[in-house]
């Protein structure tokens, strides 16, 4: 009880402080006393802790404390793996009363340090909430626990001829709840739009433990404020998503893909226009990989490489995917496009390859999807996931490389590669700087440089990966003071004790 | 028999349109076969065979006079031939069977190939086939063809070296625990194993060119081959579903469960 009153006292004094946007006082650490409480409603395997009586060695928690890139490191003592929404609610309620920080964790594939603690917050893993609740093959509406892995949901709806509206390289590990929490974009956004449109409802445990059940399966529901939208992209700072209702589109009956080799980046934009016009409704992805990114993907075994002849003289590559309802129709359209591209007077492409089988289809995609993984195998990546005008993609990549060169940081001793790839169709560039190791010099050379470049193009400092712990200080490059002030008000309203994913999104 | 001193190589590559290996196979409700209304592509071992033929040409240049792909299959098998042509085959033969006809059996296929080889004016020096097709997994067409023709065979090849002047080939075969190197005289039957090569993608210019390459058509009647099946399929069934494991609380429970399942310490 002692701890409770301490927490209440703090929140009262906070109220006065908050008007001045002062930092909240530090949160409490988890104690044995807390573990004893959790043990009342959680099975023993659901509590992983270095504290007695569980007393696991610290390295058992490594996979939860460290992020996918090995860049962010938390020092949490305790991971909880509830199985039900009720259990999540009880955990959150207790932590709120005790002022213990909580980091909701999905597949821990986030790329901005949002999924690991900044200090020793409790990690609330959704991994054990992994059941499909319902699927209606007529409407295509899927309701699932937040901890369901994206790939397993794809497999679940496949026999019913549906696909998930979202797809990304991390699909084998990331969870639908994590996707929603980060408002992940991915490879199908061009065709199926963002999760703000495809998510129909959410079940969320609010920071005081209340269960907000908005798990509707209605496509249309204009009944006042659409609260669920706040949690999409909130990165776990407003509550824990426990259930997701999502609209899955019918599976396309035919899919094809090609990789086109371009002599110059300048051709990407005119190519995009032609491809859009000629393929119209069957165009489902238009992805860009620069030469260095391609070479890294090949070097690290992501998909079968094109022949030397085909890559010769290519400055960058574009992957085009079509999905449609009739194979013959789609193939004809695609063949017409490719023929006109090859036979053009001033061809925009050098050459290209067309998948001849599902295996090749997958292999071509692997060259694009595998870039993220290849970059991590090559070295320590600094990842900037930005929205800038398409016409400036190359300029941003080359500019960054030159900037690093001018600082003497380009070379095997510091930055090995500066690469660009991304979702051209969405104006989203992934600018990756692959370094030998993470160092303050490189960090200082990159920031605020990159953010200033983005701001000069009126772009976004985070197109799809979110803010996490990485970009809190850079939020102002893309959001006005007024926007940030209202975001803070919303945060305070939902989470007055500041327990939900502290240190993330807002400073 | 063929006395010309500057003998050039003519290569024949049989290819089959099969259910793609990435497709999940589903047994039909009548249990007479599996659902064929799915994505098909070239049998992967045949893709390796086409690739090998092209690589032999890349190595031996003009010494390879022709690479001809042949398929026995329904009208849609033409797509498979086009893929082979796009990869680099020069010409092709399509022995067309009706859409609904059952997949021909190895002996009939081997006899068809024998007949086709007989009809090639310039002869055939090398036949490269897949070691098996992934739909029925029978794995005997190459061997039967060698038997019918009385030619040497180098099966499960992981490396093929041709010496045109000597009319010889040195082939490394995949065998249990390693490789076996054999030397054979041409004409020769080679069947491909997975490690032989990694097939290339079909490039766009080559796909365009492939549309204009010749496809010679035959019906089974033209060749005098009877495709009536000799096998009778009694029943096709899925393997039994794997039943999920369970968790036990402690060692005692585990031991009890093991005993229940009839497993005891030796
Ligand atoms: C190889 C690779 C490729 C990627 N490709 C893309 C891409 O194309 N597009 C893209 O947008 N992103 C991409 N990402 C990053 C992307 O954000 C994540 O992969 C994914 O969306 C996060 O899901 P997760 O379950 O791993 O969440 P985590 O990493 O565990 O968490 C991410 C954030 O969401 C919060 N969170 C997680 N689950 C919940 C929940 N149930 N309730 C509340 N908050 C929660 C966490 O606290 C954290 O802030 C990629 C990552 C990798 C490693």
């Amino acid at each position: 009880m002692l701890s409770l009153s301490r927490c209440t006292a703090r929140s009262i004094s906070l109220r006065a402080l908050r008007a001045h946007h002062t930092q909240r006082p530090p949160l409490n650490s988890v104690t044995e006393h807390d573990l004893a409480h959790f043990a009342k409603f959680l099975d023993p395997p659901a509590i992983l802790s270095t504290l007695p009586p569980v007393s696991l060695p610290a390295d058992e928690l490594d996979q939860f404390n460290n992020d996918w890139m090995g860049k962010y490191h938390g020092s949490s003592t305790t991971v909880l793996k509830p199985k039900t929404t009720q259990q999540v609610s009880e955990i959150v309620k207790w932590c709120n009363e005790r002022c213990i920080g909580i980091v909701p964790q999905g597949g821990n594939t986030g790329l901005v340090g949002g999924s690991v603690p900044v200090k020793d917050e409790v990690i609330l893993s959704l991994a054990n909430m992994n059941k499909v609740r319902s699927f209606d093959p007529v409407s295509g509406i899927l309701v699932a626990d937040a901890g369901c892995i994206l790939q397993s949901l794809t497999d679940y709806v496949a026999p019913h001829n549906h696909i998930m509206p979202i797809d990304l390289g991390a699909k084998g590990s990331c969870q639908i709840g994590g996707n929603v929490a980060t408002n992940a974009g991915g490879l199908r956004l061009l065709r199926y739009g963002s999760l703000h449109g495809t998510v129909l409802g959410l079940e969320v445990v609010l920071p005081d433990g209340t269960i907000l059940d908005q798990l509707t399966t209605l496509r249309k529901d204009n009944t006042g404020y659409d609260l669920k939208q706040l949690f999409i992209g909130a990165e776990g700072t407003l509550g824990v998503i426990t259930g997701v209702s999502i609209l899955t589109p019918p599976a396309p009956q035919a899919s094809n893909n090609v990789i086109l080799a371009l002599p110059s980046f300048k051709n990407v934009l005119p190519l995009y226009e032609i491809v859009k016009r000629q393929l119209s409704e069957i165009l489902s992805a238009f992805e860009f990989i620069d030469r260095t990114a391609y070479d890294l993907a090949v070097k690290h075994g992501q998909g079968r490489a094109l022949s030397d002849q085909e890559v010769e003289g290519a400055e960058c590559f574009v992957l085009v995917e079509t999905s449609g309802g009739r194979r013959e129709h789609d193939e004809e359209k695609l063949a017409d496009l490719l023929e006109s591209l090859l036979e053009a007077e001033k061809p925009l492409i050098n050459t290209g390859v067309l998948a001849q089988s599902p295996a090749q289809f997958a292999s071509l995609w692997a060259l694009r999807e595998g870039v993220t993984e290849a970059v991590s195998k090559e070295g320590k990546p600094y990842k900037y996931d930005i929205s800038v005008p398409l016409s400036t993609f190359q300029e941003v990549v080359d500019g960054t490389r030159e900037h690093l060169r001018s600082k003497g940081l380009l070379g095997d001793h510091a930055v090995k590669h500066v690469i660009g790839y991304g979702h051209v169709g969405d104006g989203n560039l992934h600018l990756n700087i692959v370094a030998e190791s993470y160092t303050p010099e490189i960090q200082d050379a990159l920031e605020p440089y990159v953010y200033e470049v983005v701001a000069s193009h009126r772009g976004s400092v985070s197109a799809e990966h979110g803010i996490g712990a990485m970009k809190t200080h850079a939020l102002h490059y893309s959001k006005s003071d007024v926007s940030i002030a209202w975001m803070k008000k919303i945060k305070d309203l939902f989470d007055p004790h500041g327990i939900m994913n502290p240190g993330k999104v807002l400073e | 028999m063929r006395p010309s001193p500057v003998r050039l190589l003519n290569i024949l590559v049989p290819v089959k349109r099969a259910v793609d290996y990435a497709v999940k196979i589903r047994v039909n409700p009548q249990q007479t076969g599996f659902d064929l209304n799915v994505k098909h592509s070239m049998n992967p071992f045949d893709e390796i065979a086409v690739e090998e033929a092209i690589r032999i040409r890349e190595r031996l240049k003009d010494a390879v006079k022709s690479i001809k792909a042949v398929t026995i299959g329904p009208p849609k098998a033409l797509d498979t031939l086009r893929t082979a042509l796009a990869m680099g085959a020069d010409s092709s033969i399509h022995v067309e069977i009706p859409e609904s006809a059952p997949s021909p059996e190895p002996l009939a296929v081997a006899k068809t190939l024998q007949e086709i080889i007989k009809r090639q004016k310039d002869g055939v020096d090398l036949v490269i086939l897949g070691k098996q097709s992934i739909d029925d997994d029978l794995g005997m067409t190459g061997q039967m063809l060698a038997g019918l023709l009385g030619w040497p065979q180098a099966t499960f090849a992981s490396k093929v070296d041709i010496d045109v002047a000597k009319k010889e080939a040195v082939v490394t075969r995949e065998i249990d625990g390693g490789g076996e190197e054999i030397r054979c005289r041409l004409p020769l039957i080679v069947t491909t194993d997975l490690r032989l090569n990694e097939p290339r993608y079909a490039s766009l210019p080559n796909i365009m060119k492939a549309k204009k390459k010749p496809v010679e058509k035959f019906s089974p009647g033209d060749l005098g081959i009877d495709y009536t099946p000799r096998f009778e399929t009694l029943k096709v069934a899925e393997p039994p579903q794997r039943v999920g494991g369970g968790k036990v609380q402690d060692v005692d429970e585990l031991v009890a469960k093991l005993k229940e399942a009839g497993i005891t310490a030796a």
Side-chain angles (χ1 to χ4, degrees):
Chain A
M1 266 355 252
L2 233 180
S3 53
L4 278 190
S5 51
R6 208 186 315 136
C7 183
T8 321
R10 176 185 298 157
S11 74
I12 292 166
S13 59
L14 257 182
R15 218 165 286 153
L17 291 170
R18 197 156 298 131
H20 308 285
H21 295 289
T22 329
Q23 296 255 313
R24 292 185 184 91
L27 295 158
N28 293 316
S29 299
V30 183
T31 62
E32 289 170 45
H33 169 66
D34 299 312
L35 286 195
H37 176 77
F38 297 139
K40 288 182 197 155
F41 56 91
L42 293 176
D43 289 340
I47 305 175
L48 310 179
S49 182
T50 54
L51 303 176
V54 186
S55 307
L56 292 173
D59 60 2
E60 295 254 339
L61 265 55
D62 279 356
Q63 66 175 110
F64 302 95
N65 265 322
N66 300 303
D67 78 323
W68 188 85
M69 297 181 291
K71 189 174 176 192
Y72 296 90
H73 313 283
S75 44
S76 181
T77 59
T78 304
V79 178
L80 302 177
K81 298 171 113 181
K83 278 195 170 139
T84 64
T85 304
Q86 198 55 46
Q87 289 175 349
V88 175
S89 162
E90 300 229 12
I91 295 169
V92 175
K93 185 158 177 273
W94 179 262
C95 289
N96 188 46
E97 285 168 2
R98 285 263 301 118
C99 282
I100 295 169
I102 300 176
V103 179
Q105 192 175 82
N108 196 12
T109 67
L111 298 174
V112 288
S115 49
V116 296
V118 285
K119 294 204 185 76
D120 63 351
E121 301 88 276
V122 154
I123 297 174
L124 197 160
S125 164
L126 280 295
N128 282 343
M129 290 193 60
N130 53 11
K131 303 262 179 328
V132 170
R133 299 193 192 174
S134 68
F135 178 67
D136 176 359
V138 179
S139 63
I141 296 171
L142 171 75
V143 182
D145 285 351
C148 290
I149 304 234
L150 180 58
Q151 180 66 54
S152 67
L153 292 178
T154 302
D155 294 344
Y156 185 91
V157 298
H160 304 285
N161 288 313
H162 281 74
I163 59 168
M164 294 301 287
I166 170 172
D167 184 23
L168 45 112
K171 58 180 156 254
S173 315
C174 67
Q175 300 174 1
I176 189 68
N179 298 146
V180 173
T182 55
N183 187 24
L187 306 163
R188 290 183 183 151
L189 191 124
L190 182 69
R191 167 63 71 86
Y192 301 113
S194 95
L195 290 170
H196 280 296
T198 47
V199 170
L200 301 178
L202 291 179
E203 178 188 80
V204 182
V205 172
L206 298 175
D208 66 356
T210 311
I211 300 171
L212 175 69
D213 181 357
Q214 295 216 331
L215 214 46
T216 67
T217 52
L218 305 172
R219 288 202 66 173
K220 302 178 83 170
D221 178 20
N222 285 352
T223 49
Y225 305 145
D226 190 359
L227 292 180
K228 70 166 183 290
Q229 299 294 355
L230 277 175
F231 301 96
I232 303 175
E235 301 179 53
T237 59
L238 297 180
V240 183
I241 299 168
T242 48
V244 176
S245 161
I246 190 167
L247 185 64
T248 67
Q253 295 304 301
S255 299
N256 283 303
N257 64 4
V258 284
I259 284 191
L260 304 171
L262 281 64
S264 152
F265 177 80
K266 284 191 207 70
N267 295 1
V268 174
L269 209 59
L271 180 68
Y272 183 44
E273 280 174 56
I274 293 179
V275 168
K276 243 189 340 186
R277 191 172 61 236
Q278 290 206 23
L279 295 179
S280 62
E281 87 289 354
I282 65 166
L283 175 64
S284 55
F286 191 98
E287 297 281 318
F288 155 75
I289 330 170
D290 74 11
R291 179 62 185 265
T292 325
Y294 169 86
D295 288 341
L296 283 182
V298 169
K299 176 174 169 190
H300 294 285
Q302 312 286 325
R304 191 203 304 172
L306 278 60
S307 76
D308 293 347
Q309 254 170 315
E310 281 144 8
V311 297
E312 199 186 304
E315 198 174 284
C316 60
F317 301 87
V318 161
L319 184 151
V320 177
E321 183 195 65
T322 66
S323 315
R326 238 177 88 86
R327 191 171 67 96
E328 292 79 5
H329 166 265
D330 296 3
E331 281 177 1
E332 199 179 316
K333 244 179 165 167
L334 185 58
D336 286 351
L337 167 73
L338 298 174
E339 211 164 310
S340 71
L341 287 175
L342 282 177
E343 284 164 9
E345 223 165 275
K346 286 194 194 126
L348 293 169
I349 62 170
N350 288 346
T351 177
V353 297
L354 171 67
Q356 302 289 309
S357 62
Q360 290 193 3
F361 177 87
S363 187
L364 290 184
W365 260 122
L367 286 168
R368 160 63 189 87
E369 284 183 274
V371 173
T372 316
E373 215 171 303
V375 160
S376 290
K377 287 185 177 161
E378 179 73 10
K380 296 288 178 196
Y382 290 87
K383 289 180 164 293
Y384 296 93
D385 151 48
I386 56 186
S387 280
V388 286
L390 192 48
S391 55
T392 64
F393 271 28
Q394 190 68 19
E395 193 184 314
V396 171
V397 177
D398 291 346
T400 305
R401 190 181 295 115
E402 283 320 305
H403 174 73
L404 288 166
R405 198 194 307 277
S406 74
K407 301 253 170 196
L409 290 170
L410 204 62
D412 280 345
H413 64 291
V415 171
K416 301 202 270 187
H417 309 282
V418 177
I419 69 171
Y421 61 99
H423 318 290
V424 172
D426 317 328
N428 179 188
L429 173 68
H430 292 306
L431 168 68
N432 282 207
I433 291 86
V434 190
E436 181 56 31
S437 55
Y438 292 125
T439 70
E441 294 78 48
I442 300 175
Q443 176 78 29
D444 292 346
L446 288 170
E447 295 178 24
Y449 172 83
V450 173
Y451 296 132
E452 281 167 0
V453 172
V454 172
S456 76
H457 294 298
R458 295 189 59 93
S460 168
V461 295
S462 181
E464 59 174 15
H465 293 165
I467 296 295
M470 177 185 174
K471 300 179 182 173
T472 49
H473 64 289
L475 191 58
H476 69 94
Y477 287 102
S478 297
K479 282 269 193 300
S480 70
D481 290 346
V482 177
S483 306
I484 294 175
W486 278 90
M487 282 167 69
K488 285 189 170 157
K489 285 190 203 182
I490 289 170
K491 167 77 179 171
D492 288 346
L493 184 64
F494 277 88
D495 184 17
H497 294 165
I499 59 159
M500 289 306 306
N501 218 356
K504 315 293 165 58
V505 183
L506 294 164
E507 279 188 311
Chain B
M1 267 187 32
R2 298 186 203 108
S4 89
V6 273
R7 181 86 191 98
L8 300 178
L9 271 185
N10 290 299
I11 305 177
L12 186 74
V13 189
V15 295
K16 181 177 185 183
R17 176 177 182 268
V19 170
D20 188 87
Y21 83 82
V23 169
K24 191 171 171 343
I25 299 293
R26 274 195 288 254
V27 173
N28 66 16
Q30 309 86 286
Q31 296 201 310
T32 53
F34 45 85
D35 179 11
L36 291 175
N37 207 359
V38 294
K39 188 96 181 164
H40 284 61
S41 54
M42 190 190 298
N43 175 38
F45 292 105
D46 303 352
E47 222 185 332
I48 295 173
V50 177
E51 176 68 28
E52 193 59 22
I54 301 161
R55 290 194 186 187
I56 290 174
R57 167 176 278 162
E58 283 168 352
R59 286 196 295 268
L60 303 181
K61 306 272 167 8
D62 291 342
V64 174
K65 186 166 174 214
S66 76
I67 300 173
K68 194 176 261 193
V70 49
T71 194
I72 306 160
K76 278 189 188 142
L78 183 60
D79 288 349
T80 309
L81 283 182
R82 291 280 176 221
T83 300
L85 294 169
M87 287 174 74
D90 308 311
S91 63
S92 65
I93 295 175
H94 185 181
V95 181
E96 195 177 308
I97 58 174
E99 184 68 56
S100 56
S103 171
E105 291 170 1
L107 185 58
V109 174
K111 285 181 173 169
T112 310
L113 297 174
Q114 181 189 22
E115 181 61 25
I116 285 172
I117 290 167
K118 207 168 85 192
R119 290 172 181 231
Q120 300 306 301
K121 274 203 308 293
D122 295 336
V124 170
D125 310 274
L126 182 62
V127 184
I128 311 179
L129 307 86
K131 71 167 182 181
Q132 75 196 73
S133 109
I134 60 163
D135 46 8
D136 49 24
D137 273 343
L138 292 171
M140 40 189 158
T141 306
Q143 294 88 328
M144 285 180 171
L145 179 61
L148 291 171
L149 292 166
W151 289 6
Q153 54 178 307
T155 50
F156 316 126
S158 60
K159 188 163 186 283
V160 177
D161 265 321
I162 309 268
D163 188 327
V164 190
K166 285 198 197 150
K167 290 198 191 173
E168 263 179 21
V170 176
V171 178
T172 309
R173 305 181 60 233
E174 301 255 327
I175 56 168
D176 280 349
E180 176 190 47
E181 207 175 84
I182 56 171
R183 188 191 309 275
C184 321
R185 292 201 64 76
L186 301 183
L188 170 70
I189 307 289
V190 171
T191 74
T192 62
D193 217 319
L194 268 186
R195 258 183 288 201
L196 182 56
N197 61 48
E198 221 191 338
R200 69 196 61 199
Y201 299 110
S203 81
L204 297 180
N206 288 341
I207 290 171
M208 301 301 154
K209 277 186 221 148
K211 291 186 179 164
K212 297 184 186 109
K213 290 183 180 174
V215 181
E216 200 181 344
K217 267 204 182 173
F218 292 106
S219 73
D222 295 338
L223 300 173
I225 310 285
D226 180 8
Y227 287 126
T228 316
R230 294 164 161 242
F231 294 126
E232 186 190 350
T233 301
L234 299 180
K235 187 177 159 190
V236 179
E238 305 239 4
Q241 285 269 330
R242 188 180 166 275
V243 279
K247 273 197 182 154
V248 290
Q249 287 294 340
D250 48 35
V251 176
D252 292 343
E253 197 187 333
L254 175 68
V255 173
K257 288 248 154 122
L258 288 174
K259 278 197 181 139
E260 228 176 82
I263 302 164
T264 46

